[in-house]
Amino acid sequence: LALGLGYEYPASGAMKVTTVGLAQGTFSSTSLVAAGKAAAAGKYREEKHQGKTIHVFTLDEQLRLFGLLDLRIRELAVTAINANTLAFGDVQRVRGAIDASKGTGRANGELISLANQNPNAIVGFGGNVTPKMLEHLRIGNDAVAKDLSSVRQIYGFVGMTEKDVEVLAAARTADPNSARSLGTTEAAKDAVQDTW
């Protein structure tokens, strides 16, 4: 499973988040669509994009991500990219996944590499973090907010062994001094541990 998250600020004080996930494995797209239609209770439509059928379910759900972001998910789009890969998330991002799979879209190689740090992971993630995004996070501690303001990328994974669950969350900062400062700040460590 690989996850993608994009964000923008359409208005002052507002953040719009769009997501896409790619899941590889064995699945029955017919069964998934049937289950989705039943759960959507009639709030369902289909779209076509580059020869693929995108199934769009209306959810209108509120979620809290990592204890920091409040997300409202209005719709969930799902499509089979190929026999073993399923794309799901925001309609626009699912269209982008289709485009990337056909070579007509833009795939960010650096972020893909960050998300694939552990090839045996169940979930991998990688992302760019802008100062604008950090301004809008509700950290609650000015010292931690200052230290986190230097973060430019995040990445990590969730994996499993026979006995344990492995989780890695890492950050790249604007410069080495910022990384040292962030790494030695107890309040920042506590905030990150509480968040993850």
Side-chain angles (χ1 to χ4, degrees), residues 20 24 32 37 41 87 96 112 118 152 168:
V20 67
Q24 280 193 324
L32 288 170
K37 283 181 180 179
I112 291 169
N118 180 347
R152 295 296 174 258
L168 170 75

Side-chain angles (χ1 to χ4, degrees), residues 33-98:
V33 170
K37 283 181 180 179
K43 297 179 181 179
Y44 165 84
R45 72 177 191 280
E46 290 183 358
E47 293 185 7
K48 296 286 187 187
H49 184 73
Q50 292 211 34
K52 300 282 184 188
T53 300
I54 302 172
H55 308 276
V56 184
F57 306 95
T58 302
L59 301 178
D60 282 327
E61 295 288 332
Q62 190 78 30
L63 299 174
R64 189 148 177 87
L65 183 64
F66 302 129
L68 296 172
L69 301 171
D70 290 317
L71 302 178
R72 179 149 197 87
I73 299 177
R74 297 190 196 295
E75 294 183 326
L76 176 65
V78 181
T79 193
I81 297 290
N82 59 42
N84 297 316
T85 307
L86 193 68
F88 59 93
D90 178 80
V91 176
Q92 176 186 352
R93 296 280 177 177
V94 168
R95 284 188 205 116
I98 293 169

